[in-house]
Amino acid sequence: QVQLVESGGGLVQAGGSLRLSCAVSGRSFSTMIMAWFRQPPGKEREFLAAINWSVGKTYYESSAKGRFTIARDNTKSAVYLQMNSLNPEDTAVYYCAADLQGLSPITPTNYKYWGQGTQVTVSS
């Protein structure tokens, strides 16, 4: 089992930044693919970014590239999502996911573990 706990969400003005954290615990996750998704109100969950824990290789959804950065810290067993230049369309619940089971990192159902989510609200 792997436990994921997100934090760092909140209310921010348009143009601002937030850094989300995902604390990871449980069985060995050093070879896992970790990812961040978000779910805007009334919409489906959408992929943002993924990282290979062991080598640090990253992969971004095109709309996230350039504004969002995924990173991991081995010493703290955490994955982060740095978000810059936020706009109201970024308002969503943000989720951390772990242990990619399938080939596609952008498909939510391919991840075995999920956190509870953290709300991000961007005001105009």
Side-chain angles (χ1 to χ4, degrees):
Q1 280 286 59
V2 172
Q3 291 77 43
L4 307 173
V5 180
E6 301 98 333
S7 61
L11 176 63
V12 62
Q13 288 190 332
S17 299
L18 280 176
R19 189 178 81 152
L20 305 182
S21 299
C22 175
V24 187
S25 62
R27 70 173 183 85
S28 175
F29 46 83
S30 62
T31 60
M32 288 186 183
I33 303 294
M34 313 285 294
W36 284 96
F37 286 76
R38 70 182 180 188
Q39 188 161 12
K43 296 185 179 180
E44 294 186 352
R45 198 164 297 190
E46 57 189 36
F47 171 78
L48 294 172
I51 187 166
N52 182 310
W53 189 282
S54 61
V55 299
K57 185 176 180 180
T58 57
Y59 177 71
Y60 292 92
E61 198 277 333
S62 57
S63 66
K65 203 167 188 178
R67 290 196 304 132
F68 295 176
T69 303
I70 189 171
R72 54 91 171 93
D73 187 327
N74 287 325
T75 62
K76 296 183 178 180
S77 297
V79 178
Y80 304 101
L81 185 69
Q82 177 68 43
M83 305 187 296
N84 299 325
S85 302
L86 288 165
N87 59 67
E89 289 69 40
D90 295 315
T91 294
V93 178
Y94 285 70
Y95 295 92
C96 178
D99 201 5
L100 180 66
Q101 302 289 297
L103 293 178
S104 172
I106 71 172
T107 303
T109 53
N110 282 349
Y111 290 85
K112 188 173 182 179
Y113 303 104
W114 289 87
Q116 81 289 350
T118 185
Q119 176 71 45
V120 171
T121 302
V122 184
S123 63
S124 57

